[in-house]
Amino acid sequence: MNKLTHFDESGQAHMVNVGDKASTQRIAIATGKISMLPDTFKMVEAGSHKKGDVLGIARIAGIQASKKTSDLIPLCHPLALTHVSLEFQINANDNSITCQVKAETTGPTGVEMEALTAVQVALLTIYDMCKAVDRGMVMGDVKLLEKSGGKSGEWRAL
Amino acid sequence: MNKLTHFDESGQAHMVNVGDKASTQRIAIATGKISMLPDTFKMVEAGSHKKGDVLGIARIAGIQASKKTSDLIPLCHPLALTHVSLEFQINANDNSITCQVKAETTGPTGVEMEALTAVQVALLTIYDMCKAVDRGMVMGDVKLLEKSGGKSGEWRAL
Amino acid sequence: MNKLTHFDESGQAHMVNVGDKASTQRIAIATGKISMLPDTFKMVEAGSHKKGDVLGIARIAGIQASKKTSDLIPLCHPLALTHVSLEFQINANDNSITCQVKAETTGPTGVEMEALTAVQVALLTIYDMCKAVDRGMVMGDVKLLEKSGGKSGEWRAL
Amino acid sequence: MNKLTHFDESGQAHMVNVGDKASTQRIAIATGKISMLPDTFKMVEAGSHKKGDVLGIARIAGIQASKKTSDLIPLCHPLALTHVSLEFQINANDNSITCQVKAETTGPTGVEMEALTAVQVALLTIYDMCKAVDRGMVMGDVKLLEKSGGKSGEWRAL
Amino acid sequence: MNKLTHFDESGQAHMVNVGDKASTQRIAIATGKISMLPDTFKMVEAGSHKKGDVLGIARIAGIQASKKTSDLIPLCHPLALTHVSLEFQINANDNSITCQVKAETTGPTGVEMEALTAVQVALLTIYDMCKAVDRGMVMGDVKLLEKSGGKSGEWRAL
Amino acid sequence: MNKLTHFDESGQAHMVNVGDKASTQRIAIATGKISMLPDTFKMVEAGSHKKGDVLGIARIAGIQASKKTSDLIPLCHPLALTHVSLEFQINANDNSITCQVKAETTGPTGVEMEALTAVQVALLTIYDMCKAVDRGMVMGDVKLLEKSGGKSGEWRAL
């Protein structure tokens, strides 16, 4: 059984020592979605090409949140992101919006948490902007899709 | 069709004027869960009563995140939380952890976003602490369970 | 000659005591502008109604910055904004963009700094987004237009 | 016509990928000024050599703000500043204070925004400290003076 | 034996519910000191009346830190400070600097932590500015001197 | 007599230029303690192995604070910590808790302030969690124990 690296041998939390890890290019891609009522979905969809641009604002919120990851997640290392982008997909079949984030850096630690944090905050921002008309929206399927770089190399969700 | 209140009549985003809203007691309860491999689940479960306390750290991260809500969500009003608590439920049947957050304030705006933000960051923190052994964890079912206070009064998820 | 209230009698800086000031509705309106090359101006103008929405992003940056005012300006009191909105005016005659911000709260201190901070950060965000094509842009005419509330009452720029 | 690099081909904002850019020494110098009434000017001037040190506090505020640039400007990359300094010039001829900032780093992105942000927040801090006696102060002429480093090399304002 | 109120009955941390507590005027005074070598002391003392104003900068750092208290201390409630001031006393007899902070608010929770946080960060700032000449400085005697307001009323250190 | 490097030749504060300093591995170890009443001490001691885990929460607060050092201390450079760990020692002989922090980075500046900031905030967090039962706790003996790396090399407290 592998161990949880965020704890030392006595079981105490620490910020893992990455001083000896090689600096490599790191990429992570994460995704998540928010499901809503058909009427709410239509409003968001409308805003994306005329006024009331919910997704444009959620995109900015996600980018800014990725920069706050080490402030939000206690044992995350601070790092200098070299790239963050968010794409939204509008799913008319089930009235949901999918958010996919790609984050990159060059350094000793990965950017999985930065990508996932951007997804979560982008979804929360959509929720915030639509909650006046639909409090029952549900956020889910938030997960890492793939990552590369570092000693563990490439990983892809099944 | 209701309108999205975060946009003015010309479709531009603004921080909604709450200057005329009554100051009332506001409560919101939100929930979410993270699903993991059986071995990961056992490690988290073990930590909750001896060493490597994943959930204790996620609880602190969630409380701290709730205080950062207006910094994370662009159109949220800053507000003075009067109470935040997180409860974790360990679900051995499906190797998942459920997080439920209760947030309260007395003021002109609700605390739904504060409760939801705490849930999301608590789940992200669990992911961070376990990702070395299980990158495929999935976060979902993040939603508001109930809220009270304000002009719209009580609301409960179906 | 009036004295600078942010210093005590011995000349030391302090956060002025507002504990005895009445809680009233406070409004402040501030403005500022950024001047650019004709080609840059055309790009910003184009973005405001199709893609590359510079002003939409600057608006969000301004709203978020207004919430960070007391973190940026050392002797500012933290306060709970009840409303923030930004309007941009596109001036084709001199290739400039004017930003006007209205901020409101109910409390013992005014929101002049919140309005001015939002103007400055919105202008900086426009600069950032256009600097790849025009490093010589100039920001100016940043000032308070009017304020109301508090013991000093109404004030209007000449 | 050059394009605005903060938008991708579909017109969506992103944090530009700088992963392939060379790490070079980057320097930026920016300036700005605040104009005030003669009596206000005399107070600031007096404080700079005895008590009520307005400019000393504005200098600290500017340095701290430069470190928050990527938190304030949505699409700015986080970076590790290696040097920031502010100089104030007291202009008795027109009752204004000029602020000049030099910022430096070694990395893949420039520090123009860090220098400009320090200027804006230093000016705002002067405004804040003097507004009790002079609400009509005006901030302006905020611009980049020169920058060096990176692929685009040296640039100087005309 | 009293119980630690930051834990609920099951021993889990939470942000204590203060929704039912009366809003009263709260004052807290805290103190602390830093001891240094005679030569370091002379430099700080000199700076306080000519150039190199260590204490002026430490004062600003302390005021700004008091506003970040709820961000630094996990279970602290966010609150709107109405007053913060720092006084430094120069102790030539033992080459130390004493810092005393007074913090005030009107609300349901006390400001002891805000006063203590300002003391600690002011002392750290003095350490930072003098460490190039004296790494062996020691900070100590950091404690609450008195507090008033709230259900527990007045308290004074013996 | 050495000079205070945080001031330039005219006595003005600046963020020292470290652009020419070599990037080396930097380690700093700092310590501090908090003294309390015997009953308070017993509660903290009890929590460390069953419920009400004061030290576990103080550890997280210290790690998170170390990441905010450059935001708290005005002239500190932002840097990417590669490791932070906190150890608490329970001193039954004098009813005190000692906190020792080790911080590391690879870069042009040291991490003394990061280690000391973590100590101070960990002690403040212990104070916060126990203050309901013991307002008279005293924090002290906060100092650097050793540091290595950089031009000045190794240093150890006597």
Side-chain angles (χ1 to χ4, degrees):
Chain A
M1 192 157 84
N2 287 298
K3 71 171 198 169
L4 301 182
T5 53
H6 285 72
F7 297 97
D8 64 19
E9 278 154 35
S10 64
Q12 306 303 357
H14 61 153
M15 193 198 286
V16 178
N17 198 333
V18 297
D20 291 334
K21 294 175 89 170
S23 181
T24 62
Q25 193 197 9
R26 312 283 189 146
I27 301 177
I29 299 175
T31 188
K33 76 191 250 185
I34 181 165
S35 303
M36 53 192 73
L37 293 174
D39 278 358
T40 315
F41 180 79
K42 277 174 208 143
M43 285 185 203
V44 175
E45 194 183 24
S48 69
H49 46 80
K50 40 181 192 169
K51 64 183 190 175
D53 184 8
V54 170
L55 300 184
I57 295 172
R59 181 179 287 111
I60 296 300
I63 291 173
Q64 287 189 292
S66 69
K67 295 188 268 186
K68 294 184 210 284
T69 301
S70 71
D71 189 39
L72 291 169
I73 312 297
L75 304 179
C76 266
H77 296 80
L79 57 79
L81 285 161
T82 56
H83 174 64
V84 182
S85 61
L86 284 85
E87 273 173 48
F88 293 103
Q89 187 183 307
I90 289 184
N91 312 304
N93 61 319
D94 65 354
N95 300 304
S96 73
I97 313 282
T98 305
C99 172
Q100 184 170 312
V101 176
K102 184 178 187 183
E104 294 186 51
T105 196
T106 302
T109 54
V111 288
E112 294 95 319
M113 296 315 301
E114 281 71 15
L116 286 163
T117 299
V119 169
Q120 295 283 47
V121 172
L123 297 179
L124 284 168
T125 300
I126 296 172
Y127 186 96
D128 180 49
M129 303 193 83
C130 299
K131 73 179 190 294
V133 299
D134 186 1
R135 282 202 185 80
M137 288 173 284
V138 180
M139 294 164 270
D141 275 327
V142 180
K143 60 188 175 193
L144 190 65
L145 282 184
E146 56 179 274
K147 71 115 214 165
S148 63
K151 210 172 69 176
S152 66
E154 299 226 353
W155 180 91
R156 259 194 183 71
L158 297 180
Chain B
M1 192 155 85
N2 287 298
K3 71 170 198 170
L4 302 181
T5 54
H6 285 72
F7 298 97
D8 64 20
E9 278 154 36
S10 64
Q12 305 304 356
H14 61 152
M15 193 198 286
V16 178
N17 198 332
V18 298
D20 291 333
K21 296 174 87 172
S23 180
T24 62
Q25 193 197 9
R26 311 285 188 144
I27 302 177
I29 299 175
T31 188
K33 76 191 252 184
I34 181 166
S35 304
M36 53 192 73
L37 293 173
D39 278 358
T40 316
F41 180 79
K42 276 173 207 144
M43 285 185 204
V44 175
E45 193 182 26
S48 68
H49 47 80
K50 41 181 193 169
K51 64 184 191 176
D53 184 8
V54 170
L55 301 184
I57 294 172
R59 181 179 285 111
I60 295 301
I63 291 173
Q64 287 189 292
S66 70
K67 294 188 268 186
K68 294 184 213 284
T69 301
S70 71
D71 190 38
L72 291 169
I73 311 298
L75 304 179
C76 267
H77 296 80
L79 56 80
L81 285 161
T82 56
H83 174 66
V84 181
S85 62
L86 285 85
E87 274 173 48
F88 293 103
Q89 187 183 308
I90 288 183
N91 312 306
N93 60 319
D94 65 353
N95 300 304
S96 73
I97 312 283
T98 304
C99 172
Q100 185 170 312
V101 176
K102 185 179 187 183
E104 295 185 50
T105 196
T106 301
T109 54
V111 288
E112 294 94 321
M113 295 315 301
E114 282 70 14
L116 285 163
T117 299
V119 169
Q120 295 284 47
V121 173
L123 297 179
L124 284 168
T125 300
I126 295 172
Y127 185 96
D128 180 49
M129 303 193 82
C130 299
K131 73 179 189 294
V133 299
D134 185 3
R135 282 202 184 81
M137 289 173 283
V138 179
M139 294 164 270
D141 274 328
V142 180
K143 61 188 174 192
L144 188 66
L145 283 183
E146 57 179 274
K147 71 114 217 168
S148 63
K151 208 172 71 175
S152 66
E154 300 224 356
W155 180 90
R156 259 193 184 73
L158 298 181
Chain C
M1 191 156 86
N2 288 299
K3 69 170 202 171
L4 302 181
T5 53
H6 285 72
F7 298 97
D8 64 20
E9 279 154 35
S10 65
Q12 305 304 358
H14 62 154
M15 193 199 284
V16 178
N17 198 332
V18 297
D20 292 333
K21 295 175 88 172
S23 181
T24 62
Q25 192 197 11
R26 312 283 188 146
I27 301 177
I29 299 177
T31 187
K33 76 191 250 183
I34 182 165
S35 303
M36 54 192 71
L37 294 173
D39 277 359
T40 317
F41 180 79
K42 276 174 208 142
M43 284 185 204
V44 175
E45 193 182 25
S48 69
H49 46 81
K50 40 181 193 168
K51 65 184 188 174
D53 184 8
V54 171
L55 301 184
I57 295 172
R59 181 178 285 111
I60 295 301
I63 292 173
Q64 286 188 292
S66 69
K67 294 188 268 185
K68 294 185 212 283
T69 301
S70 71
D71 190 38
L72 291 168
I73 313 297
L75 303 179
C76 267
H77 296 81
L79 56 79
L81 285 161
T82 56
H83 174 65
V84 182
S85 62
L86 284 85
E87 273 173 48
F88 293 103
Q89 187 183 308
I90 288 184
N91 311 306
N93 61 319
D94 65 354
N95 299 304
S96 73
I97 312 283
T98 304
C99 171
Q100 184 169 313
V101 176
K102 185 178 188 184
E104 296 186 50
T105 194
T106 301
T109 55
V111 287
E112 294 93 321
M113 296 315 301
E114 281 71 14
L116 285 164
T117 299
V119 169
Q120 296 284 47
V121 173
L123 297 180
L124 285 168
T125 300
I126 295 172
Y127 186 97
D128 180 49
M129 303 192 83
C130 298
K131 72 179 190 294
V133 299
D134 186 1
R135 281 202 184 81
M137 288 173 283
V138 180
M139 295 165 269
D141 274 328
V142 180
K143 61 189 175 190
L144 189 65
L145 282 184
E146 56 179 275
K147 70 115 218 166
S148 64
K151 209 172 69 175
S152 65
E154 299 224 355
W155 179 90
R156 260 195 183 69
L158 297 179
Chain D
M1 192 157 82
N2 287 298
K3 70 170 199 169
L4 301 181
T5 53
H6 286 72
F7 298 97
D8 64 18
E9 278 153 36
S10 65
Q12 305 303 356
H14 62 152
M15 193 198 284
V16 178
N17 198 332
V18 298
D20 291 332
K21 295 175 89 172
S23 181
T24 62
Q25 193 197 8
R26 312 283 188 147
I27 302 179
I29 300 177
T31 187
K33 77 192 251 183
I34 180 166
S35 304
M36 54 192 71
L37 294 173
D39 278 359
T40 316
F41 180 77
K42 278 175 206 140
M43 284 185 204
V44 175
E45 193 183 25
S48 68
H49 45 83
K50 40 180 193 170
K51 64 184 192 175
D53 185 8
V54 170
L55 301 184
I57 295 172
R59 181 178 286 111
I60 295 302
I63 291 173
Q64 287 187 293
S66 69
K67 294 188 268 185
K68 294 184 211 284
T69 301
S70 71
D71 190 38
L72 290 168
I73 312 297
L75 304 179
C76 267
H77 296 81
L79 56 79
L81 286 161
T82 56
H83 174 65
V84 182
S85 62
L86 285 85
E87 274 173 47
F88 293 103
Q89 187 184 308
I90 289 184
N91 312 307
N93 61 318
D94 66 351
N95 299 304
S96 73
I97 313 282
T98 305
C99 171
Q100 185 170 311
V101 176
K102 185 178 188 184
E104 296 185 50
T105 196
T106 302
T109 55
V111 288
E112 294 94 320
M113 296 316 300
E114 281 71 15
L116 286 163
T117 299
V119 169
Q120 296 283 46
V121 172
L123 298 179
L124 284 169
T125 300
I126 295 172
Y127 186 96
D128 180 48
M129 303 193 82
C130 299
K131 72 178 189 294
V133 299
D134 186 2
R135 280 202 186 80
M137 288 173 284
V138 179
M139 294 164 270
D141 275 327
V142 179
K143 60 189 175 193
L144 188 66
L145 283 184
E146 56 178 273
K147 71 114 216 167
S148 63
K151 209 172 69 175
S152 65
E154 299 225 355
W155 180 90
R156 260 192 184 74
L158 298 180
Chain E
M1 192 156 85
N2 287 299
K3 71 170 199 170
L4 302 181
T5 52
H6 285 72
F7 297 97
D8 64 19
E9 278 154 36
S10 64
Q12 304 304 357
H14 61 153
M15 192 198 286
V16 178
N17 198 333
V18 298
D20 291 333
K21 295 175 88 171
S23 181
T24 63
Q25 193 197 9
R26 312 284 188 146
I27 301 178
I29 299 176
T31 189
K33 75 192 250 184
I34 181 164
S35 303
M36 53 191 72
L37 293 174
D39 278 358
T40 316
F41 180 78
K42 277 173 208 143
M43 284 185 204
V44 175
E45 194 183 24
S48 69
H49 47 80
K50 41 180 193 169
K51 64 184 191 175
D53 185 7
V54 171
L55 301 185
I57 295 171
R59 181 178 286 111
I60 295 302
I63 291 174
Q64 287 188 290
S66 69
K67 294 188 268 186
K68 294 184 211 284
T69 302
S70 71
D71 190 38
L72 291 168
I73 312 297
L75 304 180
C76 267
H77 296 80
L79 56 79
L81 286 161
T82 56
H83 174 65
V84 181
S85 62
L86 284 84
E87 274 173 48
F88 293 103
Q89 188 183 308
I90 288 184
N91 311 306
N93 61 318
D94 65 352
N95 300 305
S96 73
I97 313 283
T98 304
C99 171
Q100 184 171 312
V101 176
K102 184 177 188 184
E104 297 186 49
T105 196
T106 301
T109 55
V111 287
E112 294 95 321
M113 295 316 301
E114 281 72 14
L116 286 163
T117 299
V119 169
Q120 295 284 46
V121 172
L123 297 179
L124 285 169
T125 300
I126 295 172
Y127 185 96
D128 180 49
M129 303 193 82
C130 299
K131 70 177 192 294
V133 298
D134 186 2
R135 281 203 186 80
M137 288 173 284
V138 179
M139 293 164 270
D141 276 327
V142 180
K143 61 190 173 191
L144 188 66
L145 282 184
E146 56 179 274
K147 70 115 217 166
S148 64
K151 210 173 70 176
S152 64
E154 299 225 354
W155 179 91
R156 260 195 183 69
L158 298 180
Chain F
M1 193 156 83
N2 288 298
K3 70 170 201 169
L4 302 181
T5 53
H6 285 72
F7 298 97
D8 64 20
E9 279 152 36
S10 65
Q12 305 304 356
H14 61 153
M15 192 197 285
V16 178
N17 198 332
V18 298
D20 291 333
K21 295 174 88 173
S23 180
T24 62
Q25 192 197 9
R26 312 282 187 147
I27 302 178
I29 300 177
T31 188
K33 76 191 250 185
I34 182 167
S35 303
M36 52 192 73
L37 294 173
D39 278 358
T40 316
F41 179 78
K42 276 175 208 142
M43 285 185 203
V44 176
E45 193 183 24
S48 69
H49 46 80
K50 40 182 193 168
K51 66 183 187 177
D53 185 7
V54 171
L55 301 184
I57 294 172
R59 181 178 286 112
I60 295 302
I63 292 173
Q64 287 188 292
S66 69
K67 294 187 269 185
K68 293 183 211 286
T69 302
S70 72
D71 190 38
L72 291 168
I73 312 297
L75 304 179
C76 267
H77 296 81
L79 57 78
L81 286 161
T82 56
H83 174 64
V84 181
S85 62
L86 284 85
E87 273 173 48
F88 292 103
Q89 186 183 308
I90 288 183
N91 312 306
N93 61 318
D94 66 352
N95 299 305
S96 74
I97 312 283
T98 305
C99 171
Q100 184 170 312
V101 175
K102 185 178 188 184
E104 296 185 50
T105 195
T106 301
T109 56
V111 287
E112 294 95 320
M113 295 316 301
E114 280 71 14
L116 286 163
T117 299
V119 168
Q120 295 285 46
V121 172
L123 297 179
L124 284 169
T125 301
I126 296 173
Y127 185 96
D128 179 49
M129 304 192 81
C130 299
K131 72 178 191 293
V133 299
D134 185 3
R135 281 202 186 80
M137 288 173 284
V138 179
M139 293 164 271
D141 275 327
V142 180
K143 61 189 175 193
L144 189 65
L145 283 183
E146 57 179 274
K147 71 115 216 166
S148 64
K151 209 172 69 175
S152 65
E154 299 226 353
W155 179 90
R156 261 195 182 69
L158 297 179

